[in-house]
Amino acid sequence: MQIQYYLYLSFILFGIGALGVMIRRNAIIVFMCIEMMLNSVNLLLVAFSKVQYALNAQGIDGQIFVFFVMVVAAAEVTVGLAIIVMCYRNTRSIDIGLMNRIKN
Amino acid sequence: MATSLFWLFSALAIFAAVMVVTSRLAIYSILWLVVLFFTISGHYILMNAQFLAIVNIIVYAGAIMVLFLFVVMLMNVNDPNDNKKSIGLAIFGGLATILFLLSILNIVFNAQHTTKEINDLATTSTGDIGLVQNLGMELFKNYVLPFEICGVLFLSAIIGAVTLGKR
């Protein structure tokens, strides 16, 4: 497989994730679409790391970056889900159109 | 073999992604997202990144998705208003996504190949940079400061989650 196919797959996954962020109202599904976008970028990083390895026997940095992206995604999900639970406790809803109610 | 596996994983990944966005219940979205993570792990194995494949399954499918599942099950959301979709938002969101995909895929399609072609990216057992030993040596030699900062980031995430959850 050439690098173009990985680019196409990664961009399509990113686009579907962005579409989900834009059209869905459920805050949890919006979070999952963000995870999907992060994963498509991870896939692209691994693919380019493989290209780099095939060209000049380097490319371990890309995989290290994927590791750090996973770390940041895990931390983000922890805090984000805590915020969603708190919002649900206050408003009895996780519709992102009603998120302005958590102001006070 | 690797090529057919690539197409199988790609088709399954795109189908799972579409199902994540279009599922009406959040719990089906979570299960389809687990499928998506498994297919992406399959891609990692095809690209000879074994450690990342295992970490992807353990961290994403094992930890993060279980966290999502517990939150969904604790909240018991069956509000019919949550499934209500705005038709204008769907139209313009789809339009924006299609324009984004067209522009960025056009760039890839018209790109000039400056370096030499790599024709077989999805081949296993090429090199050992994806193994735990090499990644660990790199992580603890050249990237030890970001690694420690990740520890601080996790600590702040834990404190933030506990603080938000206690009220």
Side-chain angles (χ1 to χ4, degrees), chain A residues 1-2 4 8 11 15 19 22 24 28 32 35-36 39 42 50 53 61 68 73 83 86 88-89, chain B residues 3 6 21 23 30 36-37 44 60 75 97 101 105 109 113 119 121 123 126-127 138 143 150 167:
Chain A
M1 281 297 111
Q2 294 165 344
Q4 289 96 330
Y8 295 148
F11 288 147
L19 179 69
M22 282 187 275
R24 287 307 295 251
I28 290 180
M32 284 192 288
E35 294 299 312
M36 196 196 303
N39 258 285
N42 280 351
K50 189 72 184 291
Y53 182 77
D61 299 321
F68 285 127
I83 290 174
M86 188 197 71
Y88 176 73
R89 213 181 284 160
Chain B
T3 307
F6 171 83
V21 175
S23 288
I30 291 168
L36 176 66
F37 289 154
Y44 289 168
Y60 273 110
M75 285 205 288
T97 307
L101 281 181
L105 290 179
F109 199 69
H113 304 297
N119 285 320
L121 222 51
T123 48
T126 55
E138 182 78 10
Y143 288 90
C150 281
R167 293 203 270 149

Side-chain angles (χ1 to χ4, degrees), chain B residues 42-55:
Chain B
H43 277 299
Y44 289 168
I45 289 176
L46 280 185
M47 281 188 288
N48 209 20
Q50 294 94 349
F51 174 69
L52 285 179
I54 299 300
V55 164

Side-chain angles (χ1 to χ4, degrees), chain A residues 15-78:
Chain A
I16 294 172
L19 179 69
V21 170
M22 282 187 275
I23 70 173
R24 287 307 295 251
R25 309 285 300 273
N26 194 332
I28 290 180
I29 296 182
V30 169
F31 250 93
M32 284 192 288
C33 291
I34 292 172
E35 294 299 312
M36 196 196 303
M37 291 157 80
L38 286 171
N39 258 285
S40 74
V41 174
N42 280 351
L43 182 67
L44 203 54
L45 275 172
V46 173
F48 273 112
S49 143
K50 189 72 184 291
V51 170
Q52 188 80 3
Y53 182 77
L55 284 178
N56 51 12
Q58 289 176 347
I60 203 167
D61 299 321
Q63 303 200 2
I64 299 281
F65 265 74
V66 172
F67 187 75
F68 285 127
V69 169
M70 283 181 189
V71 166
V72 171
E76 171 234 338
V77 160
T78 314

Side-chain angles (χ1 to χ4, degrees), chain B residues 2 23 32 38 45 72 78 85-86 91-92 99 102 109 111 129 139 142 144 166:
Chain B
S23 288
W32 279 112
F38 271 94
I45 289 176
V72 168
N78 279 324
K85 283 179 197 161
S86 156
I91 290 173
F92 283 105
L99 285 179
L102 276 182
F109 199 69
I129 64 166
L139 195 61
N142 297 334
V144 65
K166 266 189 73 168

Side-chain angles (χ1 to χ4, degrees), chain B residues 21-81:
Chain B
V21 175
T22 57
S23 288
R24 295 195 55 211
L25 291 176
I27 203 146
Y28 290 134
S29 291
I30 291 168
L31 295 177
W32 279 112
L33 197 57
V34 172
V35 174
L36 176 66
F37 289 154
F38 271 94
T39 57
I40 286 179
S41 285
H43 277 299
Y44 289 168
I45 289 176
L46 280 185
M47 281 188 288
N48 209 20
Q50 294 94 349
F51 174 69
L52 285 179
I54 299 300
V55 164
N56 196 40
I57 288 178
I58 291 174
V59 171
Y60 273 110
I64 293 181
M65 283 302 113
V66 170
L67 200 62
F68 272 106
L69 268 180
F70 267 104
V71 167
V72 168
M73 285 193 272
L74 282 176
M75 285 205 288
N76 189 19
V77 180
N78 279 324
D79 199 1
N81 287 327

